[in-house]
Amino acid sequence: MGRVEIEAANPNDHAFLAEMVALSFRSLPHLASKSNLEIETMARLEVAGWEPGRDLAFIAQANHQRVGAIWLRADGELSAQHFVLSLAVAQAFQHRGVGTKLIEYVLDYCKRNGGVSMGLKVYPGNLPAMRLYRRFGFEDVTLELRKKL
């Protein structure tokens, strides 16, 4: 695969970011009944709603090919120092260290830039993601319960 390099996303990366957001949405059980078109539309709207200077996104590349992305939504007030993390790696590059590199990068970035905390949501059935996040010290802080109606 080659060396993974990470850089801040720019407006030219919006289509790739939307693709990565759609990939992350497809892993959510409550969206399983949605069509690909619905998920892709939701992903484009999500990326369009990001606020520059508040929300952050980074792209991982290997051999000049985009292989994954990580994005941080500011949580709370403007200029928040609390972030909600999301991550996606293209399927062909999963389980090859890309997710690890992305998390290492954003943890270091946030520490250097006054970040206070970072949270995320992961479904209990997504064991590889849970292992990855726990390896970086993410801990269970709440239990969300839901009932289908």
Side-chain angles (χ1 to χ4, degrees):
M1 176 172 68
R3 189 179 127 161
V4 175
E5 296 183 17
I6 299 169
E7 60 185 37
N10 63 58
N12 294 331
D13 295 316
H14 278 215
F16 179 73
L17 286 167
E19 180 184 329
M20 291 293 97
V21 171
L23 180 60
S24 72
F25 283 174
R26 285 186 183 96
S27 72
L28 303 176
H30 69 279
L31 297 180
S33 65
K34 301 285 186 193
S35 71
N36 280 337
L37 180 59
E38 288 173 305
I39 287 176
E40 290 165 6
T41 300
M42 289 169 37
R44 283 193 302 276
L45 290 171
E46 172 75 13
V47 171
W50 290 351
E51 296 180 38
R54 176 177 157 87
D55 303 315
L56 307 169
F58 301 92
I59 304 291
Q61 293 189 43
N63 299 327
H64 306 288
Q65 181 179 2
R66 294 175 182 149
V67 297
I70 194 165
W71 51 99
L72 303 167
R73 296 289 310 256
D75 188 25
E77 72 283 355
L78 275 173
S79 304
Q81 296 171 316
H82 305 276
F83 296 96
V84 178
L85 174 144
S86 297
L87 165 73
V89 175
Q91 289 181 332
F93 298 96
Q94 292 177 359
H95 308 291
R96 296 171 78 179
V98 175
T100 296
K101 293 280 189 197
L102 284 162
I103 292 174
E104 288 172 345
Y105 186 90
V106 297
L107 288 173
D108 181 61
Y109 178 92
C110 288
K111 285 176 189 173
R112 286 184 288 113
N113 290 282
V116 173
S117 71
M118 191 175 296
L120 56 88
K121 287 185 181 182
V122 61
Y123 282 88
N126 191 345
L127 297 178
M130 288 177 63
R131 281 192 298 275
L132 174 66
Y133 296 133
R134 285 190 172 133
R135 199 170 73 226
F136 282 97
F138 287 88
E139 301 173 335
D140 299 348
V141 293
T142 186
L143 176 64
E144 181 177 318
L145 302 173
R146 189 171 292 175
K147 176 173 176 44
K148 288 188 177 185
L149 301 176

